[in-house]
Amino acid sequence: MIPFLDLRAQYASIKDEIDAAALRVLASAQYVLGDEVAEFEQEFAAFCGTRHAIAVNTGTSALHLALLALGAGPGDEVITVPFTFVATVSAICYTGALPVFVDVEPVTLTMDATKLEAAITPRTRAIVPVHLYGQMADMNAIKAIADRHGVPIIEDACQAHGAEYKGRRAGSIGVSGCFSFYPGKNLGACGEGGIVVTGNDSHARTMRMLRDWGQESRYHHVLKGFNYRMDGIQGAILRVKLRHLDAWTQSRRAHAARYSALLAGSGHVKAPLEVADRRHVYHIYAVRCRDREALQHALSTEGIQFGLHYPIPVHLQKAHADLGYAPGDFPRSEAAARSVLSLPIYPEMTVRQVEQVVSAVEQEAHVH
């Protein structure tokens, strides 16, 4: 059996460091926020090349607070893409703003900058490009349009820890960038976690208050806030894992390169492309399939796990039917949802496992 990802193998490789970090927090009794979280914030801000990092309980909370810091609320519109995990859109809805979609580029499946301008109205409060699968959106093109209209950008970098665009790290180009530390992410907590990075002092101050009940100091509540604090134990564990992230990313990139080389001649699947001037961190290695059902069957038969990211774009999800979109509104997102399949990729994978996966993919191609 080849798992989709192997968190047990990851833990085994750094067990002593993780155990020591967790025990350190238990001994300190700093269970919520505390020194370890504060240290992690500084280290992650440095990693991203930003001045501030505000640690929270999930990536969704990170997006929510970043939007609130911009003043997003009822009557506003926030532009994003429908081909993303639902949390991107949920966070916009939490503020009372209206999500407005633009379709994705056919190659990267990230926001199509050529479709952006037409979606901007006087009510547009923010633009949220999603760095899907670990590759950044075309930020120069998006930023040029955003700047011309005076609309700030919040980067949804929940899948893109350490990804780069023309030498700049994910999260450092917009007014803020949001990350998730869900366990399966390239940098994952042992539980839930998230963070917002920003260079804006006033936004950072607002988000620090909002995550902790809107308190300026204990029991002095100046904003209507939330309980979005990061646990101390997650901060300590993430500090350990952050030290390994670059090596893990190199492994992911090596596995992706091997996949792409071996799948180059495949008539059945199309490998993902890394755009020049971008550093893809391959949170997900998603191929486009000619016959996804047949491929799913072939992989299952061989005991190979896979994922579908994502089978239904957000504009066609029942939960968001009230937005009033219909099939055909975003053809590229819909085509991607019908054809993408995510192959196993994680740092601890072996070359042999990558080859076995490719052999199962090609086996299916020969059957057809």
Side-chain angles (χ1 to χ4, degrees), residues 22-351:
L23 290 171
R24 203 164 60 234
V25 175
L26 293 179
S28 77
Q30 294 187 356
Y31 302 138
V32 178
L33 296 176
D35 295 342
E36 294 284 351
V37 171
E39 291 288 336
F40 174 63
E41 288 175 330
Q42 287 186 0
E43 289 159 9
F44 195 75
F47 174 81
C48 293
T50 60
R51 203 156 54 243
H52 304 283
I54 300 91
V56 292
N57 58 341
T58 66
T60 313
S61 299
L63 287 161
H64 185 196
L65 295 192
L67 287 160
L68 290 177
L70 280 178
D76 292 330
E77 294 173 356
V78 176
I79 299 172
T80 191
V81 291
F83 195 62
T84 180
F85 181 60
V86 73
T88 311
V89 178
S90 299
I92 296 168
C93 295
Y94 294 167
T95 70
L98 179 74
V100 172
F101 295 125
V102 297
D103 211 351
V104 295
E105 295 178 350
V107 174
T108 63
L109 303 181
T110 58
M111 183 178 280
D112 185 348
T114 65
K115 301 220 181 320
L116 178 57
E117 198 138 27
I120 294 174
T121 75
R123 290 184 297 282
T124 306
R125 176 66 72 167
I127 295 163
V128 183
V130 178
H131 302 326
L132 195 73
Y133 301 152
Q135 179 158 236
M136 289 176 69
D138 188 356
M139 292 305 291
N140 279 7
I142 292 166
K143 197 169 183 324
I145 295 162
D147 288 352
R148 193 159 64 239
H149 291 270
V151 179
I153 294 170
I154 293 170
E155 297 174 62
D156 181 340
C158 287
Q159 300 182 359
H161 315 70
E164 292 177 11
Y165 177 90
K166 299 184 190 295
R168 296 182 69 181
R169 283 263 162 108
S172 70
I173 297 176
V175 68
S176 56
C178 302
F179 295 84
S180 164
F181 302 124
Y182 184 76
K185 298 293 165 107
N186 292 20
L187 179 60
C190 294
E192 300 276 7
I195 206 163
V196 189
V197 296
T198 184
N200 186 302
D201 298 345
S202 130
H203 286 196
R205 185 172 171 273
T206 299
M207 290 188 280
R208 280 189 198 287
M209 287 193 284
L210 286 172
R211 75 168 170 189
D212 188 18
W213 293 116
Q215 299 180 101
E216 194 170 41
S217 57
R218 198 151 173 80
Y219 304 129
H220 290 252
H221 302 269
V222 296
L223 298 170
K224 290 189 172 74
F226 305 88
N227 183 1
Y228 281 175
R229 300 169 299 211
M230 177 178 278
D231 287 343
I233 212 158
Q234 303 305 348
I237 287 166
L238 287 164
R239 290 184 72 195
V240 169
K241 290 192 175 190
L242 182 58
R243 297 198 287 270
H244 295 276
L245 182 56
D246 284 332
W248 289 341
T249 299
Q250 282 169 0
S251 296
R252 283 177 179 274
R253 287 176 54 77
H255 296 324
R258 183 169 295 274
Y259 265 138
S260 295
L262 293 172
L263 292 169
S266 172
H268 186 67
V269 301
K270 204 166 159 188
L273 279 179
E274 178 179 58
V275 180
D277 287 344
R278 297 185 212 180
R279 178 183 186 244
H280 198 322
V281 296
Y282 294 102
H283 169 55
I284 298 289
Y285 187 89
V287 296
R288 305 286 291 271
C289 319
R290 190 169 288 172
D291 182 348
R292 187 165 69 186
E293 221 166 281
L295 181 55
Q296 287 175 263
H297 179 71
L299 293 171
S300 297
T301 302
E302 295 295 320
I304 296 165
Q305 291 183 350
F306 55 86
L308 300 180
H309 302 93
Y310 297 94
I312 305 171
V314 181
H315 71 288
L316 299 180
Q317 293 282 2
K318 197 171 173 182
H320 293 287
D322 58 335
L323 296 175
Y325 291 106
D329 284 348
F330 303 103
R332 285 175 184 162
S333 294
E334 291 168 37
R338 285 192 297 270
S339 63
V340 291
L341 181 138
S342 310
L343 298 177
I345 192 162
Y346 48 94
E348 302 78 14
M349 258 185 117
T350 62
V351 168

